[in-house]
Amino acid sequence: MAKVPPPLKEAYDFGLKKVSASEKTQKVTSVFERVASRYDLMNDVMSLGIHRLWKKWFVESLPLLQDGVYLDVAGGTGDIAQAIFERLNHFGFKAQVTVSDINPAMIDVGQKRYPHLSWVCSNAEDLPLKDNSIDVYTIAFGLRNVTRREKALQEAYRVLRPGGKFACLEFSQVLPPFQKLYDFYVFRIIPKMGEWVAQDKEAYQYLSESIQAFLTREELLELMRKVGFERARYETITGGIVALHVGYKL
């Protein structure tokens, strides 16, 4: 008879599976290494281009600060950071815009595309930055891939200056009338797209499942408040498909 492995003392979701902390970090890193070169193309294909509107809405919600320090965490290939950079330039603001990501393969793609941005390879749970050094902290479609989400939020709070803004864009829960159609698209169609376009069905199966396994809007809001964020709130767009959570370090 095969031995049954002992239950994990601490279990973290990797899609719909439960794994150890080290396993989740390793598995997520592997997923993004495999899809790095086609990641941005797949975002366009999966969302039918709508992700660009979500990200535009997100970036336009951020304050414009002269000589501000902006940090985009889990920033992947840098599309959010570049949008922040372009918006600041458009209005004549000079600022420092940095992308942080745990995955060297994603950073390699992004650095070639946007060499004018600053880049740092780091875990959202352990940022190599000083306390009170950032004006605006952003994370878009990345928090659900972080292993210890509370630790990542604590790090966000630590590095923000007093008065600094935290902004998180993430997949959320759709309105009930759209649930069946949404589930069919996310769990059946997206993995197929991953197989056809990125040649990696397994990676996009995980990304689909990670949406289902992620925190509810209220759970994330409570976690933000727990680590110290004030004036924490959220708003949704596109029938609840995505939510924008914001909070401040006062």
Side-chain angles (χ1 to χ4, degrees):
M1 180 185 254
K3 290 185 178 180
V4 177
L8 296 169
K9 291 182 179 179
E10 286 188 291
Y12 299 86
D13 56 89
F14 177 75
L16 300 181
K17 303 180 183 72
K18 292 295 183 181
V19 298
S20 69
S22 60
E23 283 179 300
K24 174 163 183 177
T25 302
Q26 182 181 29
K27 286 176 178 291
V28 170
T29 299
S30 175
V31 164
F32 285 97
E33 281 178 351
R34 300 201 309 265
V35 304
S37 63
R38 297 182 180 90
Y39 182 72
D40 294 303
L41 171 62
M42 273 299 296
N43 283 344
D44 278 326
V45 172
M46 287 189 304
S47 72
L48 307 178
I50 297 173
H51 78 102
R52 295 177 181 271
L53 298 178
W54 295 336
K55 291 172 179 176
K56 184 175 185 291
W57 173 62
F58 179 59
V59 169
E60 288 179 353
S61 75
L62 304 174
L64 294 165
L65 301 173
Q66 188 67 264
D67 299 319
V69 182
Y70 294 74
L71 175 69
D72 186 46
V73 175
T77 57
D79 61 338
I80 291 290
Q82 175 63 15
I84 293 170
F85 179 85
E86 289 176 357
R87 183 167 180 260
L88 288 163
N89 271 4
H90 176 76
F91 288 100
F93 288 84
K94 293 182 179 180
Q96 177 184 331
V97 183
T98 299
V99 185
S100 168
D101 197 275
I102 196 173
N103 197 302
M106 297 288 277
I107 289 177
D108 185 57
V109 172
Q111 280 182 314
K112 291 173 182 175
R113 193 175 294 164
Y114 309 123
H116 51 280
L117 299 176
S118 297
W119 297 82
V120 58
C121 187
S122 61
N123 191 325
E125 301 169 23
D126 186 21
L127 297 171
L129 301 172
K130 294 180 180 179
D131 296 358
N132 307 311
S133 59
I134 303 296
D135 292 300
V136 180
Y137 174 115
T138 60
I139 183 166
F141 303 116
L143 188 58
R144 73 184 192 284
N145 297 312
V146 174
T147 302
R148 298 180 179 89
R149 293 164 189 148
E150 183 173 346
K151 182 68 171 68
L153 292 175
Q154 289 170 342
E155 277 291 273
Y157 190 87
R158 178 185 69 80
V159 301
L160 278 170
R161 291 173 178 156
K165 182 174 184 175
F166 168 86
C168 173
L169 186 67
E170 190 54 89
F171 288 108
S172 190
Q173 297 77 47
V174 298
L175 295 173
F178 308 114
Q179 190 68 58
K180 287 186 178 180
L181 179 61
Y182 180 72
D183 287 349
F184 177 78
Y185 186 77
V186 169
F187 301 117
R188 297 291 186 87
I189 303 300
I190 286 180
K192 283 292 185 184
M193 288 181 175
E195 183 178 15
W196 297 332
V197 179
Q199 287 85 57
D200 197 327
K201 180 179 179 180
E202 183 183 356
Y204 284 90
Q205 184 71 44
Y206 157 69
L207 291 171
S208 295
E209 291 178 357
S210 70
I211 296 171
Q212 183 177 351
F214 189 58
L215 304 172
T216 67
R217 295 187 283 269
E218 291 295 339
E219 286 170 341
L220 178 52
L221 193 66
E222 286 306 308
L223 199 55
M224 289 169 57
R225 289 169 174 160
K226 180 181 177 182
V227 303
F229 285 111
E230 302 284 348
R231 292 162 51 196
R233 61 178 178 81
Y234 68 78
E235 57 185 301
T236 62
I237 194 172
T238 321
I241 292 177
V242 296
L244 167 60
H245 284 70
V246 301
Y248 296 85
K249 179 177 177 177
L250 300 181

